[in-house]
Amino acid sequence: NVDHILMPRFNGASWPHWNLVDFQPASHRFDAVYGLENFRGKVTFVALLAAWCGYCRSQALQLERMRQELIEAGHEVQFAIINKIDAADPNYQRAMIYILNDDGEITYDDADEPIHRCRFPLFQDTDEVNAWDLHHGAKDDMYIYNQSGKLATYLPHGGEVNTRLSSEEGYDNVKQAIVAALAEE
């Protein structure tokens, strides 16, 4: 019998049920309150990140690159970040949403559109919901759920598998884990 407290980290565990605000303006459900149930039928990647952390913001940028590569390869994968409770400050959120210049201003492309760090849902965790605790996770942990909403892979930060997306090995490890979840039926 598996300890129920650790259950969310074991393969086959159901994703936790929570509803949070999506603060990503580029997301199709911007400003809506919803949860992982809305992604049923799709492989879903969830990262626990903190918008005040430069490493986390770089991870988000790499996740967007990976998301685009998977789309181009014909794979439908839902990506989501749950922002840490203590990173709810609008300035931190802004830094997670957009690429900022050295003066902290939003950068723009040639078409005068703001350059987004990522375009997938960014959920703001709250004391009332505490989605991080529901996942039994810590900063920089990653979860990959299969189409049925069951955990396919748990990738803890600092675990046996390199998940540093700025490294070729870490990027490949995470991408391969997602592709493996796509193969599950």
Side-chain angles (χ1 to χ4, degrees), residues 33-156:
V33 176
Y34 62 103
L36 296 176
E37 278 296 319
N38 291 80
F39 305 141
R40 186 164 298 286
K42 298 177 183 145
V43 167
T44 303
F45 175 92
V46 177
L48 304 182
L49 302 177
W52 46 255
C53 171
Y55 172 77
C56 292
R57 291 191 305 269
S58 70
Q59 291 282 85
L61 190 61
Q62 293 300 319
L63 288 171
E64 177 64 18
R65 183 179 124 213
M66 185 180 298
R67 185 181 76 86
Q68 289 299 322
E69 288 174 5
L70 290 165
I71 289 170
E72 289 170 13
H75 300 300
E76 187 174 0
V77 177
Q78 182 63 54
F79 283 73
I81 290 173
I82 304 172
N83 191 35
K84 196 165 193 252
I85 293 169
D86 69 359
D89 180 276
N91 289 321
Y92 292 145
Q93 289 179 338
R94 188 168 161 256
M96 183 63 87
I97 297 168
Y98 302 107
I99 302 287
L100 306 179
N101 65 21
D102 292 339
D103 295 326
E105 301 297 323
I106 296 172
T107 58
Y108 292 86
D109 63 16
D110 293 339
D112 209 28
E113 294 294 322
I115 300 174
H116 287 257
R117 187 170 298 281
C118 60
R119 294 185 165 274
F120 51 80
L122 298 171
F123 293 102
Q124 181 55 61
D125 204 359
T126 65
D127 286 323
E128 296 78 25
V129 174
N130 207 339
W132 280 36
D133 275 358
L134 293 174
H135 284 272
H136 294 277
K139 188 171 135 332
D140 306 321
D141 284 359
M142 300 174 182
Y143 302 79
I144 302 167
Y145 297 95
N146 65 22
Q147 293 99 334
S148 301
K150 303 291 184 190
L151 186 64
T153 306
Y154 167 58
L155 298 167

